[in-house]
Amino acid sequence: MNGHPEQHRSGLPYALGAHAFWGSMPLYLLLVHEVPPIEFVAWRIIFTLPLCLAFMTWSHRRGMDGWGELKAVLADRRALLTLLASAALIGVNWSLYVWAIQTGHVYAASLGYYILPLAMMLMGLVVLGERLNRLQWCALLLAGVGVTVLAIGALTTLWLSLSMALSFGIYGLLRKTVAAGALVGLTIESLLLLLPAVAIVSWYAASPAGTVIGRNTLETAAIAWAGPMTAIPLIWFAIAARRMPYTVLGFLQFSSPTIVFLIGLLVFGEKLRPAQLACFVAIWAAAALFVWDLLRRRTAAA
């Protein structure tokens, strides 16, 4: 597999931290379950941008030239077009995810993010020319069997799961290859999405129901908290994507839907069929095998 072990290690905490954020997202979305999904995504963008600008200012004071990089990326037509595409993809992904949770399709969301690691690893192998060893291929095939059986048992919502997986998988690939740092890239994505977001919240404000902001203190605070819930894990994911092979990052993605799956089972009370449990066990076994191989290789290298 491509990449230096020390480089993997430097990206690992960021990857696990991002997945922990995303895995707990259904609990957070309970606080905004009465907010229309599209309006919530718009507010999410609006509250993310000021946080990105604050991070940019803070990093500048610590001697990092984030503003200079921002200007350079805005002047780079190819990078800007790439970020425009990644912004559109993450906007679609957010909307699908929020809609899935709010309409009770927690397992469909979980399946989408179980398909995602396989999509990411395939992109790493085909697009980026990364490689897997024999044990890692075994883990990939074992996980693929589990995900395939899950998908066959959820054909009615498979379109949702596949859309979520592909939109985020391509987003991650673009963020890995674009000539922009994690924070600068997210700042530009937020800028590109700002006008559509403002148009959406303005439309809702002019509607008979009015805007959701201000109708409930806890709900309004939860909507504002969407800024940190969005910016922090996306910045961490972008850092990890630039420091780690996409195949390794892809397999780590199994941690996020596992948390979502447990939340769906224990908090949302969704029923679990024996066939589903067997498939999840296969996926978890594959993840354990993959992680064990990484640890074994790291120990041998040391």
Side-chain angles (χ1 to χ4, degrees):
M1 178 179 294
N2 299 334
H4 192 278
E6 185 63 36
Q7 187 182 38
H8 299 185
R9 193 156 44 242
S10 66
L12 184 61
Y14 293 102
L16 294 178
H19 295 320
F21 260 86
W22 289 327
S24 63
M25 187 67 78
L27 294 177
Y28 162 70
L29 291 178
L30 286 173
L31 300 173
V32 293
H33 69 281
E34 294 184 356
V35 181
I38 298 299
E39 185 180 6
F40 174 72
V41 170
W43 282 116
R44 190 175 181 177
I45 294 163
I46 290 170
F47 282 113
T48 297
L49 181 57
L51 189 62
C52 289
L53 296 176
F55 282 155
M56 291 277 290
T57 302
W58 175 80
S59 65
H60 180 73
R61 291 175 179 174
R62 291 178 63 88
M64 293 174 277
D65 189 19
W67 294 112
E69 183 187 354
L70 180 69
K71 293 178 182 177
V73 175
L74 288 174
D76 184 338
R77 185 173 180 271
R78 182 176 180 179
L80 198 57
L81 289 174
T82 302
L83 289 171
L84 178 60
S86 66
L89 286 166
I90 198 62
V92 169
N93 185 267
W94 288 344
S95 300
L96 291 172
Y97 185 80
V98 174
W99 181 84
I101 298 300
Q102 289 190 350
T103 54
H105 296 298
V106 179
Y107 276 155
S110 179
L111 176 59
Y113 289 117
Y114 272 121
I115 296 173
L116 174 59
L118 303 180
M120 290 175 65
M121 296 183 76
L122 182 63
M123 292 174 191
L125 292 169
V126 175
V127 180
L128 302 177
E130 297 173 356
R131 296 180 181 179
L132 298 177
N133 62 32
R134 192 170 298 174
L135 271 178
Q136 291 167 344
W137 270 113
C138 290
L140 177 60
L141 292 174
L142 182 59
V145 170
V147 170
T148 300
V149 175
L150 279 178
I152 292 172
L155 293 178
T156 56
T157 55
L158 185 57
W159 67 270
L160 176 60
S161 302
L162 286 173
S163 298
M164 292 171 62
L166 291 175
S167 60
F168 194 84
I170 299 172
Y171 168 81
L173 184 64
L174 293 177
R175 288 305 310 270
K176 181 176 179 64
T177 56
V178 70
L183 178 55
V184 168
L186 181 58
T187 302
I188 294 175
E189 286 172 344
S190 301
L191 283 169
L192 292 171
L193 292 172
L194 183 61
L195 283 179
V198 170
I200 289 169
V201 299
S202 299
W203 184 85
Y204 274 99
S207 68
T211 181
V212 296
I213 294 294
R215 70 182 184 185
N216 178 290
T217 302
L218 178 60
E219 185 182 65
T220 299
I223 294 171
W225 185 247
M229 285 294 291
T230 299
I232 293 172
L234 279 179
I235 290 171
W236 286 352
F237 175 81
I239 292 172
R242 297 179 73 85
R243 295 185 180 185
M244 304 175 71
Y246 209 52
T247 46
V248 175
L249 185 63
F251 223 99
L252 290 174
Q253 183 72 37
F254 278 120
S255 59
S256 175
T258 297
I259 299 173
V260 174
F261 159 73
L262 293 173
I263 290 174
L265 183 66
L266 301 175
V267 178
F268 289 83
E270 294 198 20
K271 294 180 180 179
L272 177 65
R273 297 189 299 271
Q276 287 178 310
L277 180 58
C279 295
F280 283 129
V281 169
I283 293 168
W284 297 333
L289 179 61
F290 194 90
V291 171
W292 175 80
D293 181 69
L294 287 178
L295 294 175
R296 179 184 64 87
R297 287 163 58 83
R298 181 172 297 169
T299 302

